[in-house]
Amino acid sequence: MRASYFCKKLSELGIDTVSGVPDSLLKNFCEYLDKSQNGETDDGIRFKHFTAENEGGAAGICAGAYLATGRPACLYMQNSGIGNVVNPICSLFHRDVYDIPLLMLVGWRGEPGVKDEPQHVFQGKATIKLLEDMDIETFVVSKDTTDEEVNELFETLGKLLKDNRQCAVVVKKGTFVDEKSRAKTNGRDYVREEAIGDILKLIGENDPVFSTTGKISREVYEQSDKIYGNHSRCFLTVGSMGHTSMIAFGYKANHPEKRVFCIDGDGAVLMHMGSMAFIAEQQPENFVHIVINNNAHESVGGMDTAAKHADFAAIAKDCGYKNVYIAENKEELEKAFAAIENNTELTLIEVRVALGARDDLGRPKETPRENKAVFMGKVNG
Ligand SMILES: Cc1ncc(C[n+]2csc(CCOP(=O)(O)OP(=O)(O)O)c2C)c(N)n1
């Protein structure tokens, strides 16, 4: 299915506001929306496209757009994001509350019978049931869905939306055929995997490291194995995007004697940014929060985050982190680590890196349960 055709059908339903959090299965769709917003498509349709900080926020935008226009909006997400929209769907959109129509587009990671990463397996199994439990009329599309079937689907969707229903189109892997993507750059040159290797060397061999969802954890895994021959003190937060700093905090609260490192991403920090204020309020000693900032959701296709104009070091300072540093290269990173060597106060280091990752970047070979067992054995001694 061409993303352009799907978008044309959206437009025919009167939808012109589209918001969500990117997913690799929806990459072509998101790229088409961006082009449309910039007036670069041939069909003359102009969507208002907002990449939100989390799926719940995107649902809010869709509700607001309806309140302004009386027309439904479209909310897109990876199925991992369903958890973030349960509350707005059940306590805002549903007909027992404000009765607001909504069309959701949900990337189906972990579809039963299709090989995927362990963090997607249960979410994939639960996806249709979760949507149906929220009273959402749910449909599935795949690469085999014909234009005729899409037309029929949109006729049904049109009727449901007129009745103010919430509907979901669940998108199987490979549904949207490739739009030509543009190579993206953010003007920086510190390669993220190199930065992660430098960070791990500066941390040393033993302190616990909690790393965020996506390629950051994959690079922590690869670099740690390369540098230390193992990654046993690394907790790889393969799912649960945006919660790594709180996982690290929960660990730290029970191990006051340890120095704890959290390696976060800009998209992940933005997703649940309140955690920064919480951690600052708690002022844990020997807690180092490192934000790898590439201004993008690089792991799922490089769509922009709202980090372009966000200064994480300044935000952390305002929240109450005592030491904040920005590093754009190895030397600046080394300076930041030298400055905190004998300083136990709460620290944030923003590491500004380039976009991109190796094509042959590995994935953990052990299961998350095995990672947990080895990690707990290593860091609780
Ligand atoms: C709740 C939720 N929404 C969306 C995703 C899909 N997802 C996985 S990684 C990622 C991007 C993370 O961006 P960032 O933290 O900036 O790290 P980067 O990928 O740029 O290294 C997204 C959106 C997810 N795993 N969970």
Side-chain angles (χ1 to χ4, degrees), residues 80 119 212-213 237-244 247 271-272:
S80 314
Q119 67 272 23
T212 187
T213 313
T237 316
V238 290
S240 201
M241 178 176 163
H243 294 304
T244 309
I247 300 171
M271 185 164 268
H272 295 297

Side-chain angles (χ1 to χ4, degrees), residues 181-216:
S181 20
R182 274 174 295 200
K184 288 188 176 165
T185 159
N186 62 8
R188 297 177 184 162
D189 50 20
Y190 199 15
V191 174
R192 188 185 50 206
E193 188 172 356
E194 215 177 288
I196 285 175
D198 293 341
I199 290 165
L200 291 172
K201 283 182 201 149
L202 287 161
I203 291 175
E205 197 164 354
N206 293 313
D207 292 336
V209 171
F210 296 80
S211 57
T212 187
T213 313
K215 289 185 181 170
I216 288 176

Side-chain angles (χ1 to χ4, degrees), residues 22 55 78 80 192 216 241 265-268 294 296-300:
E55 294 80 358
Q78 180 178 101
S80 314
R192 188 185 50 206
I216 288 176
M241 178 176 163
D266 54 296
N294 56 5
H297 291 105
E298 211 266 318
S299 302
V300 289

Side-chain angles (χ1 to χ4, degrees), residues 16-22 33-34 37 47-54 57-58 61-62 65 74-76 304:
D16 68 354
T17 296
V18 185
S19 181
V21 176
L33 290 172
D34 275 349
Q37 171 145 288
F47 287 99
K48 297 183 200 83
H49 177 210
F50 304 103
T51 308
E53 82 294 355
N54 72 45
I61 291 175
C62 293
C74 174
L75 167 62
Y76 65 85
D304 291 347

Side-chain angles (χ1 to χ4, degrees), residues 1 141-147 149 174-175:
M1 192 190 304
V141 292
S142 72
K143 62 179 178 1
D144 301 323
T145 307
T146 61
D147 281 0
E149 286 166 334
T175 296

Side-chain angles (χ1 to χ4, degrees), residues 56-348:
I61 291 175
C62 293
Y66 170 80
L67 294 176
T69 64
R71 294 194 304 274
C74 174
L75 167 62
Y76 65 85
M77 68 186 76
Q78 180 178 101
N79 53 350
S80 314
I82 292 174
N84 285 335
V85 298
V86 171
N87 178 240
I89 297 291
C90 298
S91 68
L92 174 73
F93 285 89
H94 192 266
R95 69 170 87 84
D96 288 349
V97 196
Y98 281 105
D99 192 31
I100 295 175
L102 179 69
L103 177 55
M104 292 163 67
L105 200 58
V106 181
W108 198 355
R109 298 296 305 265
E111 180 198 341
V114 178
K115 197 174 169 343
D116 209 334
E117 296 309 308
Q119 67 272 23
H120 295 300
V121 172
F122 179 65
Q123 183 81 51
K125 228 187 276 176
T127 291
I128 304 289
K129 187 172 181 308
L130 282 171
L131 294 167
E132 288 177 350
D133 279 352
M134 287 191 283
D135 250 358
I136 296 171
E137 291 281 348
T138 302
F139 306 87
V140 177
V141 292
S142 72
K143 62 179 178 1
D144 301 323
T145 307
T146 61
D147 281 0
E148 204 171 294
E149 286 166 334
V150 173
N151 293 344
E152 277 169 28
L153 169 64
F154 271 81
E155 248 176 61
T156 309
L157 292 172
K159 285 184 194 142
L160 289 164
L161 292 169
K162 271 212 177 83
D163 196 25
N164 287 356
R165 295 301 307 274
Q166 296 84 49
C167 325
V169 177
V170 176
V171 178
K172 290 191 183 196
K173 199 170 178 178
T175 296
F176 287 119
V177 293
D178 267 11
E179 293 283 323
K180 222 178 159 46
S181 20
R182 274 174 295 200
K184 288 188 176 165
T185 159
N186 62 8
R188 297 177 184 162
D189 50 20
Y190 199 15
V191 174
R192 188 185 50 206
E193 188 172 356
E194 215 177 288
I196 285 175
D198 293 341
I199 290 165
L200 291 172
K201 283 182 201 149
L202 287 161
I203 291 175
E205 197 164 354
N206 293 313
D207 292 336
V209 171
F210 296 80
S211 57
T212 187
T213 313
K215 289 185 181 170
I216 288 176
S217 270
R218 289 168 63 187
E219 289 173 350
V220 164
Y221 162 78
E222 293 255 295
Q223 286 298 313
S224 191
D225 276 9
K226 190 171 153 201
I227 299 162
Y228 296 113
N230 72 81
H231 52 277
S232 47
R233 55 67 184 271
C234 302
F235 182 79
L236 311 170
T237 316
V238 290
S240 201
M241 178 176 163
H243 294 304
T244 309
S245 62
M246 293 300 251
I247 300 171
F249 176 80
Y251 173 88
K252 172 70 193 170
N254 289 281
H255 271 300
E257 79 289 1
K258 298 236 185 208
R259 181 164 245 206
V260 170
F261 290 84
C262 168
I263 305 183
D264 228 331
D266 54 296
V269 169
L270 288 165
M271 185 164 268
H272 295 297
M273 205 166 188
S275 298
M276 277 175 71
F278 170 82
I279 289 167
E281 192 264 329
Q282 294 289 321
Q283 285 294 316
E285 297 253 310
N286 271 323
F287 189 95
V288 184
H289 194 170
I290 298 169
V291 181
I292 309 282
N293 182 5
N294 56 5
N295 292 340
H297 291 105
E298 211 266 318
S299 302
V300 289
M303 311 307 291
D304 291 347
T305 64
K308 206 175 270 175
H309 305 292
D311 181 337
F312 286 102
I315 294 164
K317 189 88 192 160
D318 281 352
C319 285
Y321 283 63
K322 288 287 188 289
N323 309 309
V324 300
Y325 305 94
I326 295 170
E328 302 204 6
N329 51 49
K330 189 178 175 188
E331 291 67 44
E332 289 172 1
L333 196 59
E334 283 169 349
K335 266 193 205 150
F337 270 80
I340 57 166
E341 200 174 335
N342 297 310
N343 181 332
T344 60
E345 289 175 322
L346 177 60
T347 296
L348 181 133

